[in-house]
Amino acid sequence: EDAQCPVCKSDKYLTPNLKLLVSPCFHKMCESCIDRLFSAGPAPCPICQQILRKNQFMSQIFEDLEVEKEVRIRKRVNKVFNKRPEDFPSLRLYNDYLEEVEDISKEDKNSTFESIIYG
């Protein structure tokens, strides 16, 4: 199932050159389905109905999608929360800040980044 496009049911084992890409909602689809579904602009994900754009799909780096999701969330959180120790009057305050950032990174994995950051 993990090596199959949920839209066209093409299988990576039967079609070794099949390239599956991951959406921001962490659903895999093959390049040809992505081209077909999103060529006219934004469209809903066929699995969860989240509105997506073709350019949002990325190659999967990690074998486990949960690891992939956590890494992407952490990268996005670190773009917003990127203070350094010298930005704080004490090491204690910096450590408290790091704990808050960690809590944000570990928020419910079904939440979108925007709901985590902006409430």
Side-chain angles (χ1 to χ4, degrees), residues 2-115:
D2 199 34
Q4 183 183 63
C5 177
V7 179
C8 68
K9 306 299 184 204
S10 294
D11 192 293
K12 194 164 180 79
Y13 297 110
L14 298 174
T15 314
N17 62 345
L18 180 72
K19 186 169 182 183
L20 294 170
L21 299 175
V22 181
S23 69
C25 51
F26 298 94
H27 295 116
K28 290 183 183 182
M29 281 179 256
C30 71
E31 281 185 307
S32 55
C33 285
I34 293 167
D35 287 340
R36 184 173 43 81
L37 294 171
F38 302 98
S39 62
C45 171
I47 292 104
C48 70
Q49 304 305 307
Q50 179 178 332
I51 301 298
L52 304 172
R53 290 179 166 73
K54 184 178 175 179
N55 66 354
Q56 292 176 308
F57 285 83
M58 298 174 66
S59 295
Q60 186 172 347
I61 298 169
F62 300 96
E63 188 172 329
D64 186 344
L65 271 180
E66 287 300 312
V67 173
E68 187 82 25
K69 185 175 186 178
E70 184 171 342
V71 168
R72 286 192 194 178
I73 288 170
R74 287 181 179 279
K75 282 182 180 179
R76 292 179 74 185
V77 168
N78 286 333
K79 283 183 181 179
V80 175
F81 297 97
N82 55 10
K83 292 186 178 182
R84 304 223 171 269
E86 53 271 11
D87 296 327
F88 294 87
S90 71
L91 181 59
R92 174 71 182 165
L93 290 174
Y94 177 64
N95 286 334
D96 290 345
Y97 168 78
L98 292 178
E99 284 185 36
E100 286 181 44
V101 172
E102 185 66 19
D103 289 343
I104 290 169
S105 297
K106 289 185 176 182
E107 282 291 326
D108 182 4
K109 290 188 178 190
N110 292 323
S111 299
T112 62
F113 175 75
E114 287 76 17
S115 69

